[in-house]
Amino acid sequence: MSTTRIAVIGGGPRGMMVLERLVARLAEHPGPLDVRLFLVDAVEPGAGRVYRTDQPDWFLMNTVAGQCSAYSGEPDGGPARAGAGPSFGEWWEAAGDYPGPDSYAPRGQYGRYLRSVLTALTETLPPGVRLRCVKEHVENVVRADGRYRIALSGGERLDADRVVLTTGHSRNRLTGREGDLADFARRHPELRYIQGESAADMPLDRIAPGSGVGVIGLGLSFYDVLAALTLGRGGRFTPRADGTLAYHPSGAEPVITAGSRSGMPLPARGRNQKPPRYSYRPLLFTPERVRAHRPHGPLDFRNDVFPWLKAEIELVYYRTDLRLTRGRAVAERLRAEVARAAERGVPRPAAVAGRLGGRDLPPIDLDALARPFAHRTFAGPADFGRALGEEIERDLAHAATGNVDSPLKAALDVMRDTRWVIRELVDFSGLTGRSQREDFLGWYVPRASFLAAGPPMERLQQVQALTRHGLLRIAGPRTRFGTDPAEGRFVVSSPQVPGSAVPVTTLVDARIPDPDLRRDLGPLTTRLRDSGVLTSYVNHGGGTGHDTGGVAVTRSPFHPVDRDGAADEGMYVLGIPTEHTRWFMQVGSSRPGMWSDFVHDADAIAAHALRPVTRTVPGARTPGPAGPGAETAGERSPVRSPG
């Protein structure tokens, strides 16, 4: 019997799920087996770079602990193993000091959970299966004698029959305005420009206390940078009698000026009121309903897709309000009447709610919600500061009401809960090239990221405390990050806030780089791109070519497509490198016991990679999910794992 060798390159959550499904499938087969598995990661096999276990605890996840699992099945009374293991929350509770299922865990704690999964897999491998973890960079992968030869940074060569690339986030070559800012810093030795990546990997400790720091972006990474420059410098937040936070500085903090197009820090997630196995089933926004009105050809996002999504958002908005003000029966009448109206076309839930006695709520306007200061001009920084404070207070009030009982937060959660529907419609040129570039990536995705992917409430409360203390200032909307060559300084300002210009000596780009194969600086990706093994996916839908920058892959099980248009059936690419070929690939977990796309994708790769093994084992059966799922946490679910 020949040995089958499978290498997973990238040992974070995606790679771990592929490994888990490989081991689970191998455990289903009678012997004999002779399989060697390799998990290769340059930082920490099992946790990966983003969830590495040595990072400080002030870097938080933005999904509650009870809703995360790295196993494809729930515990069954036996030992934790592939296909049956504790959720993150269950593991943390057993480990001690568990703050509860609705808490937001440090990313390092989730990394420790992932490492425990790796330990469980290692200790329960089927006979004839061996696993080796390799902590090295992969420099190249080439075809050699019918196998793949993997060149490691330490000089070793690994041979594999199958290679799975789950390499995660990368660093890109700087271009455009970012390149200009970095060049300006190089010409002025007293300045520093810190490129966007995970805040845990940024050299933030080199920033001098009391110095001026500009932060580009007010998204999730902004909160990480803010925590590192305050909590990471020895500062403390404590509760005040009025429910807000006070900040106690250490004296080692810099003074921060931050900004973005919106001028508003990313709004908070609603207080979680949903159980770990909650599953939202859309009534209006389904692939079948959208396709029924446009059965052929690529879709136009604004005309064909978004009206149904907006109707679903509005249905939840008005239904939640009716439930709270008129009772559950009236809320259910709204749902029933809207469902009937949908048979004739896109319904108008607001009009139906009005007939049922609903309140006159502000309409859901994604532009207004995501750009609250877009059409306002302020007298100066103090005037903008007051307006910002009022906006933050409004958002925190909605968030405190909860993601079930706040009509606004419940409605905006629909954008998370129906990500799987969007993926089915937009992946692999589901939209025209123009619509993908302009309507989807250019318009919808930034607004959805702003409104439906926020941090826990405490992060926004920390912003309030730091602005009161004078250590943080938000410049204003349409923030400009410029240079003053005469003074040798960066300058942060807002054209809508007179007198807002602030000179700084450090600029931190607090935005995660957009995946782009064409600009990726990773040695492995560069070599595979230059050799033509990896190519950029071009959306030709609608006759307008759009080069997405995502790695071109086939549909499941996601083989890369080379420069000649051929699929390499011994290699697989999954996750962030394929962003824009597919959408929302940064997911790092699944709901406990539920088969989301996160699990389905990994299982499809495992099934294909193990075909040489299953073909040679008499009587082997192929385990798999029971069927299509619904929706949870933005991913398809809730198919129970196969038993």
Side-chain angles (χ1 to χ4, degrees):
M1 177 190 301
S2 62
T3 302
T4 299
R5 302 162 68 93
I6 302 172
V8 179
I9 300 174
R14 286 276 185 182
M16 280 296 297
M17 183 50 71
V18 173
L19 182 65
E20 199 261 12
R21 290 310 306 156
L22 285 166
V23 176
R25 282 180 166 271
L26 287 167
E28 290 284 338
H29 297 304
L33 293 171
D34 188 4
V35 179
R36 293 203 65 184
L37 304 174
F38 300 91
L39 183 67
V40 187
D41 192 273
V43 177
E44 187 174 2
R49 180 165 67 96
V50 171
Y51 296 101
R52 69 172 199 256
T53 58
D54 63 350
Q55 64 187 295
D57 282 349
W58 50 74
F59 297 126
L60 302 180
M61 301 175 71
N62 74 316
T63 300
V64 295
Q67 295 179 356
C68 300
S69 182
Y71 286 98
S72 59
E74 297 179 287
D76 60 1
R81 63 196 186 281
S87 70
F88 176 38
E90 291 166 339
W91 170 86
W92 194 357
E93 185 174 23
D97 296 322
Y98 182 46
D102 297 330
S103 60
Y104 291 85
R107 285 203 285 269
Q109 183 74 343
Y110 189 66
R112 287 182 275 278
Y113 167 64
L114 289 168
R115 291 281 296 176
S116 78
V117 176
L118 179 59
T119 298
L121 299 186
T122 303
E123 293 176 347
T124 58
L125 290 171
V129 179
R130 290 168 289 172
L131 169 62
R132 178 185 170 194
C133 294
V134 181
K135 186 180 176 181
E136 287 193 47
H137 290 277
V138 174
E139 300 290 340
N140 203 1
V141 178
V142 296
R143 281 277 199 177
D145 302 323
R147 280 184 163 180
Y148 297 92
R149 182 147 296 165
I150 302 169
L152 301 177
S153 53
E156 185 182 358
R157 300 289 187 269
L158 298 177
D159 286 340
D161 302 290
R162 300 284 187 269
V163 173
V164 186
L165 300 178
T166 53
T167 49
H169 290 285
S170 63
R171 288 173 62 92
N172 291 342
R173 173 173 48 85
L174 292 175
T175 59
R177 186 57 178 161
E178 290 78 15
D180 293 341
L181 293 170
D183 288 342
F184 186 76
R186 280 191 285 270
R187 295 196 302 271
H188 297 79
E190 69 278 15
L191 302 184
R192 179 177 289 108
Y193 176 83
I194 298 178
Q195 183 174 351
E197 60 178 324
S198 171
D201 295 320
M202 292 179 176
L204 299 174
D205 56 343
R206 300 178 189 173
I207 298 173
S211 64
V213 176
V215 179
I216 305 173
L218 296 172
L220 289 173
S221 290
F222 157 73
Y223 291 103
D224 287 342
V225 170
L226 201 62
L229 295 177
T230 54
L231 294 170
R233 297 294 179 98
R236 294 182 300 112
F237 293 95
T238 59
R240 303 199 306 181
D242 62 358
T244 62
L245 296 179
Y247 183 68
H248 307 275
S250 68
E253 300 90 344
V255 180
I256 303 163
T257 304
S260 66
R261 283 173 294 183
S262 71
M264 172 72 186
L266 202 67
R269 292 284 306 279
R271 176 178 58 85
N272 185 56
Q273 298 175 292
K274 300 174 182 178
R277 288 157 183 79
Y278 167 81
S279 176
Y280 178 76
R281 298 177 182 273
L283 174 70
L284 306 174
F285 185 49
T286 65
E288 296 77 16
R289 204 182 289 275
V290 172
R291 273 296 178 190
H293 292 268
R294 181 67 184 273
H296 304 294
L299 300 165
D300 181 286
F301 185 80
R302 277 191 185 269
N303 295 326
D304 302 325
V305 180
F306 184 68
W308 290 101
L309 172 56
K310 186 168 186 277
E312 188 79 40
I313 293 170
E314 290 177 344
L315 172 61
V316 172
Y317 184 54
Y318 292 104
R319 185 183 179 195
T320 301
D321 184 65
L322 283 174
R323 174 175 58 82
L324 295 170
T325 60
R326 301 296 306 278
R328 191 173 298 276
V330 177
E332 291 310 303
R333 281 185 57 193
L334 171 70
R335 187 180 190 277
E337 291 192 24
V338 166
R340 286 193 293 271
E343 299 304 317
R344 301 185 297 273
V346 181
R348 297 177 57 233
V352 180
R355 292 198 301 272
L356 294 174
R359 294 186 298 172
D360 186 19
L361 297 177
I364 293 283
D365 182 337
L366 298 192
D367 286 321
L369 290 168
R371 304 288 187 268
F373 311 117
H375 305 296
R376 297 176 62 179
T377 300
F378 300 91
D383 186 29
F384 173 70
R386 283 189 292 272
L388 176 63
E390 292 168 0
E391 195 67 34
I392 290 175
E393 284 291 345
R394 277 193 293 271
D395 181 67
L396 285 172
H398 286 298
T401 304
N403 60 5
V404 171
D405 289 339
S406 163
L408 181 61
K409 292 298 182 180
L412 295 179
D413 254 17
V414 170
M415 290 191 285
R416 293 174 59 87
D417 293 336
T418 59
R419 283 173 183 152
W420 71 273
V421 180
I422 293 179
R423 278 200 294 270
E424 286 208 14
L425 296 169
V426 309
D427 287 1
F428 297 106
S429 300
L431 302 176
T432 67
R434 182 211 58 79
S435 189
Q436 181 186 20
R437 180 180 64 251
E438 298 175 10
D439 303 332
F440 185 61
L441 298 175
W443 179 77
Y444 176 75
V445 170
R447 284 152 182 79
S449 298
F450 183 86
L451 296 170
M457 287 185 288
E458 69 179 281
R459 289 302 207 201
L460 215 53
Q461 293 170 327
Q462 291 170 359
V463 166
Q464 288 179 309
L466 291 168
T467 54
R468 282 193 297 266
H469 201 278
L471 285 174
L472 171 65
R473 176 178 163 192
I474 308 299
R478 295 167 55 212
T479 308
R480 295 173 179 169
F481 297 90
T483 60
D484 183 343
E487 297 295 327
R489 293 290 185 269
F490 296 115
V491 179
V492 183
S493 65
S494 167
Q496 294 172 232
V497 183
S500 61
V502 175
V504 297
T505 55
T506 299
L507 266 188
V508 179
D509 192 341
R511 300 170 298 177
I512 297 296
D514 207 27
D516 190 340
L517 177 66
R518 299 161 298 184
R519 298 190 293 125
D520 195 312
L521 295 173
L524 173 61
T525 304
T526 298
R527 291 188 176 100
L528 294 178
R529 179 191 64 213
D530 293 348
S531 65
V533 174
L534 299 183
T535 59
S536 180
Y537 184 83
V538 179
N539 179 357
H540 293 288
T544 304
H546 167 51
D547 191 338
T548 67
V551 172
V553 293
T554 66
R555 293 183 181 271
S556 180
F558 316 114
H559 302 299
V561 178
D562 66 19
R563 63 162 59 115
D564 297 322
D568 185 343
E569 295 196 355
M571 185 178 285
Y572 316 84
V573 186
L574 185 62
I576 288 170
T578 65
E579 184 71 23
H580 305 320
T581 306
R582 308 172 68 200
W583 181 61
F584 207 78
M585 292 291 99
Q586 60 265 46
V587 175
S589 66
S590 187
R591 288 285 181 106
M594 296 181 177
W595 274 54
S596 66
D597 287 347
F598 181 76
V599 183
H600 277 288
D601 291 351
D603 186 66
I605 289 173
H608 190 274
L610 289 172
R611 286 198 306 180
V613 177
T614 59
R615 279 200 299 258
T616 60
V617 178
R621 71 180 182 89
T622 301
E631 175 63 17
T632 179
E635 292 213 68
R636 186 175 307 184
S637 67
V639 178
R640 294 293 178 185
S641 56

